[in-house]
Amino acid sequence: FNIPASRIRHHGGQAYSYNQHHFMQYYQSGIEALSKYYSQHNPKTIFEKHFIFNNSGKQMHLPWMFSSSSSKVIGEHGLSEEHGHSAYGPVSGDKLKLEVKRLDYCLHSIKNNGYLIKRGFPKQYNGFPRGYFLVSNSGDWVFRVVGAKHRVAALVSLRWENIPVCCEPSFPRCIFESEISNWPGVVSGEYSKDDAKLIFDSYFRDPNLKIWH
């Protein structure tokens, strides 16, 4: 699919806008902005991960996903999970440097070569950014990225208006608000419908709304 950049969302409901996304802030203002984000945004619950700070819930995973598929933190690029997560802080100095390195590489590669699906040397298959759709009762929708988030940020920074994406095969293709009663977290009783909807609605915020300082 080719998805308008304005409809793409990151972990935590963040739009790929300069007001909401820390990767975009890096491209605009440098490593100090990225470091500031990681030092200030240290969420303890799924609500805080989605910039919802007036809820006392202690849940850790998304209400529409089984906990085993969404709550496990995995290290990447040679760094263990103790170094932190790219979506929120705290992170180690090595993790911060890794995020900067990946963002710089994506930006320069796409700027110089375009978006390469396949590379002959070194042999590499990049594929497309992966994710799934969230569809509201009003018919509004967004695309939640779960893979290639750095590439998406680079594409948006380079002013691509439409981003090529594909569905993540290990996730549902669509999460419908109309099926909230059947979401795993609601069925199990871990979430009320109202609390589950709070998480869902965070993906439909105004992309220009500033959600962290």
Side-chain angles (χ1 to χ4, degrees):
F1 309 96
N2 284 311
I3 302 296
S6 62
R7 288 188 178 268
I8 296 184
R9 297 294 183 271
H10 183 61
H11 183 290
Q14 292 159 283
Y16 278 79
S17 66
Y18 291 102
N19 279 339
Q20 292 191 5
H21 207 294
H22 49 296
F23 290 171
M24 302 305 297
Q25 277 285 304
Y26 168 72
Y27 284 138
Q28 183 179 64
S29 303
I31 192 172
E32 293 80 10
L34 188 61
S35 178
K36 180 180 178 182
Y37 171 83
Y38 285 133
S39 66
Q40 293 184 352
H41 185 53
N42 302 160
K44 300 295 189 293
T45 70
I46 194 68
F47 295 98
E48 292 181 0
K49 287 178 181 178
H50 286 76
F51 303 89
I52 300 169
F53 300 105
N54 59 351
N55 188 291
S56 59
K58 304 300 182 184
Q59 295 93 325
M60 292 301 297
H61 60 86
L62 292 166
W64 52 83
M65 294 290 186
F66 291 103
S67 59
S68 60
S69 66
S70 59
S71 61
K72 186 177 180 181
V73 176
I74 302 174
E76 55 183 355
H77 287 250
L79 296 181
S80 65
E81 63 184 80
E82 286 78 16
H83 285 270
H85 194 286
S86 64
Y88 49 82
V91 299
S92 69
D94 286 340
K95 180 64 172 175
L96 178 63
K97 291 176 183 177
L98 173 62
E99 295 306 313
V100 168
K101 181 179 179 181
R102 297 179 71 186
L103 289 165
D104 286 348
Y105 175 81
C106 288
L107 184 68
H108 296 149
S109 176
I110 296 171
K111 185 176 181 179
N112 294 329
N113 307 306
Y115 189 89
L116 299 178
I117 307 304
K118 295 181 180 179
R119 294 179 61 186
F121 182 82
K123 191 172 183 180
Q124 183 178 350
Y125 179 72
N126 292 318
F128 295 102
R130 307 179 311 280
Y132 58 90
F133 293 92
L134 298 173
V135 185
S136 74
N137 285 341
S138 67
D140 197 6
W141 60 271
V142 294
F143 187 81
R144 205 275 203 184
V145 171
V146 299
K149 50 192 177 288
H150 300 83
R151 277 175 270 164
V152 172
L155 290 169
V156 175
S157 179
L158 291 170
R159 299 184 179 179
W160 283 44
E161 294 182 358
N162 295 290
I163 310 299
V165 302
C166 65
C167 287
E168 167 55 55
S170 63
F171 283 64
R173 290 188 176 185
C174 296
I175 301 297
F176 294 97
E177 181 186 356
S178 60
E179 297 178 354
I180 192 169
S181 296
N182 297 322
W183 293 354
V186 176
V187 171
S188 70
E190 185 177 8
Y191 278 93
S192 67
K193 287 184 184 179
D194 287 343
D195 281 351
K197 190 175 185 315
L198 277 177
I199 303 296
F200 184 87
D201 287 347
S202 71
Y203 287 86
F204 292 87
R205 295 185 184 104
D206 179 348
N208 295 312
L209 178 69
K210 194 162 182 64
I211 57 177
W212 60 275
H213 300 282

